[in-house]
């Protein structure tokens, strides 16, 4: 079976399928083929054959399939800790250079060089700056703070002189002045709706705690406005704690996906991460690479 998708501009999650095939069962051989990602070298590799596969399964309709991607039973690969298939566009993923360019308070003040960009946004104290620093392997590219709500502008960081990571203001910080909270929401949404070079929004969700209504509302708004989005689950290194209902991060991830299912035509792409262990770092870069390279071609 081969599934070929060709989407004109990488719009949201239009992957549909009536089939429900566990990934670990996508093999006709006596052994079980577990679809695994490339290793940390950020290069492609062959699927790994195992005899004792993980109990975690994803059905075909829960996968994110990039445009122009052939899904073959023999060669399909899924990025580790995600629902994202690896495509032939996943090239040039390594970051060799990163620099801060500017802060803007209006969309029209953002860089005008036409380079593609990815925006990081999430609830205050979700670990956004830590994730950005982890992606570029620099401790202080984006300054972290014990005080949530410090980021108050649209901050552009140029990567490899060819694309941008964008750090957006966190939302939901109750101690911030009311006028500032309103302004942040206004110019952030204007950026989402009017920034022509925006390839995708990366919405950060804290996987160490149960879903917050404000996160569900944000995901809903992005879905309703057809803003390309990837969900980045942060703090996935944290284990059971009473304050998060005694659930593991994997359980909170599943719960959040169940709650947002009605917002989207089909499941959005997602990746589990940790800025402590760097889980998901390579997967994010590979995902960004395939989105970016497709965007540049089209």
């Amino acid at each position: 079976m081969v599934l070929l998708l060709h989407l004109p501009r990488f719009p949201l999650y239009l992957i549909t399928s009536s089939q429900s095939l566990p990934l670990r069962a996508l093999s006709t051989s006596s052994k079980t083929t577990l679809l695994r990602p490339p290793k940390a070298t950020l290069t492609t590799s062959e699927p790994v054959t195992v005899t004792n596969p993980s109990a975690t399964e994803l059905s075909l309709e829960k996968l994110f399939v990039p445009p122009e991607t052939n899904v073959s039973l023999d060669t399909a690969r899924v990025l580790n800790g995600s629902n994202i298939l690896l495509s032939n566009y996943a090239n040039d993923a390594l970051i060799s250079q990163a620099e801060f360019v500017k802060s803007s308070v209006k969309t029209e003040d953002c860089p005008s060089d036409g380079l593609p960009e990815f925006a990081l946004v999430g609830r205050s104290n979700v670990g956004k700056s830590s994730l950005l620093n982890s992606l570029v392997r620099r401790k202080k590219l984006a300054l972290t703070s014990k005080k949530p709500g410090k980021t108050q502008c649209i901050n552009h960081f140029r990567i490899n002189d060819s694309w941008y990571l964008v750090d957006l203001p966190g939302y939901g910080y109750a101690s911030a002045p009311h006028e500032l909270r309103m302004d942040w929401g206004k110019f952030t949404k204007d950026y989402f709706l009017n920034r022509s070079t925006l390839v995708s929004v990366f919405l950060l969700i804290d996987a160490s705690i149960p879903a917050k209504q404000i996160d569900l509302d944000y995901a809903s708004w992005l879905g309703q406005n057809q803003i390309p989005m990837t969900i980045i689950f942060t703090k996935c290194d944290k284990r059971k704690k009473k304050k998060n209902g005694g659930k593991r991060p994997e359980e909170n991830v599943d719960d959040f996906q169940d709650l947002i299912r009605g917002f989207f035509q089909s499941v959005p792409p997602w990746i589990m991460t940790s800025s402590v262990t760097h889980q998901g770092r390579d997967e994010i870069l590979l995902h960004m690479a395939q989105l970016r390279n497709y965007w540049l071609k089209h």
Side-chain angles (χ1 to χ4, degrees), residues 107 189-197:
T107 304
K189 289 181 178 179
D190 178 76
Y191 167 85
F192 291 151
L193 294 170
N194 297 305
R195 186 65 172 165
S196 61
T197 53

Side-chain angles (χ1 to χ4, degrees), residues 107 121 129 135 146 157 159 189 192 195 245 272:
T107 304
V121 69
S129 295
L135 290 175
K146 293 182 179 179
F157 300 87
I159 309 299
K189 289 181 178 179
F192 291 151
R195 186 65 172 165
M272 296 179 66

Side-chain angles (χ1 to χ4, degrees), residues 2-297:
V2 174
L3 174 64
L4 177 63
L5 293 182
H6 180 88
L7 306 183
R9 193 185 171 275
F10 222 104
L12 270 271
Y13 337 124
L14 302 178
I15 298 88
T16 58
S17 174
S18 59
Q19 302 183 46
S20 182
L21 300 176
L23 290 187
R24 63 174 184 170
L26 295 182
S27 174
T28 56
S29 65
S30 58
K31 293 184 178 180
T32 303
T33 298
L34 180 63
L35 304 185
R36 290 194 182 276
K39 298 183 183 296
T41 55
L42 295 180
T43 59
T44 57
S45 64
E46 295 301 318
V48 178
T49 301
V50 295
T51 56
N52 184 25
S54 168
T56 301
E57 297 177 358
L58 286 174
S59 54
L60 189 59
E61 68 268 17
K62 291 184 178 181
L63 288 175
F64 175 76
V65 182
E68 299 181 5
T69 299
N70 291 317
V71 182
S72 168
L73 298 184
D74 298 322
T75 61
R77 289 157 290 176
V78 178
L79 294 178
N80 192 37
S82 82
N83 69 333
I84 300 168
L85 284 180
L86 190 68
S87 77
N88 291 330
Y89 284 99
N91 302 311
D92 300 320
L94 286 171
I95 290 180
S96 59
Q97 181 182 6
E99 61 177 338
F100 171 75
V101 175
K102 67 178 301 187
S103 294
S104 309
V105 294
K106 295 181 180 179
T107 304
E108 53 265 34
D109 295 334
C110 293
S112 57
D113 50 17
L115 296 179
E117 56 194 50
F118 297 89
L120 306 181
V121 69
R123 188 166 48 82
S124 293
N125 210 28
V126 75
K128 182 161 47 70
S129 295
S130 296
L131 177 65
L132 196 157
N133 291 333
S134 174
L135 290 175
V136 301
R137 295 185 185 274
R138 285 171 58 181
K139 293 182 179 180
K140 296 182 179 180
L141 182 70
L143 294 178
T144 57
S145 173
K146 293 182 179 179
K147 183 179 180 180
K150 183 176 181 180
T151 303
Q152 300 177 15
C153 298
I154 303 173
N155 298 308
H156 275 75
F157 300 87
R158 188 162 50 232
I159 309 299
N160 298 346
D161 281 328
S162 60
W163 57 282
Y164 287 106
L165 279 172
V166 184
D167 187 11
L168 295 176
Y171 56 83
Y173 180 46
S175 296
H178 180 69
E179 288 185 1
L180 274 179
R181 295 205 305 271
M182 296 297 292
D183 287 343
W184 294 351
K186 182 179 179 181
F187 78 66
T188 299
K189 289 181 178 179
D190 178 76
Y191 167 85
F192 291 151
L193 294 170
N194 297 305
R195 186 65 172 165
S196 61
T197 53
L198 177 63
V199 178
S200 182
V201 175
F202 280 56
L203 177 63
L204 276 60
I205 304 295
D206 187 344
S208 69
I209 59 175
K212 297 283 189 180
Q213 186 60 49
I214 192 170
D215 291 328
L216 297 172
D217 292 342
Y218 217 97
S220 173
W221 185 89
L222 290 169
Q224 290 170 3
N225 288 276
Q226 287 294 289
I227 308 298
M229 180 190 75
T230 297
I231 300 174
I232 302 298
F233 291 103
T234 65
K235 306 182 183 181
C236 291
D237 56 292
K238 295 189 176 181
R239 298 292 91 186
K240 282 187 178 181
K241 290 184 179 180
K242 290 183 179 179
K243 68 177 183 180
N244 68 11
K247 289 189 174 182
R248 296 178 294 112
E250 294 83 356
E251 295 174 293
N252 288 325
V253 167
D254 290 340
D255 290 345
F256 189 88
Q257 292 178 75
D258 289 339
L259 290 168
I260 68 167
R261 189 163 293 147
F263 303 158
F264 303 94
Q265 200 166 357
S266 60
V267 65
W270 54 266
I271 302 173
M272 296 179 66
T273 72
S274 165
S275 60
V276 175
T277 65
H278 301 296
Q279 173 189 354
R281 177 189 181 275
D282 290 353
E283 287 72 21
I284 289 177
L285 293 178
L286 283 164
H287 181 51
M288 285 181 171
Q290 60 189 18
L291 295 181
R292 183 175 68 251
N293 290 328
Y294 178 86
W295 186 90
L296 288 169
K297 180 180 177 181

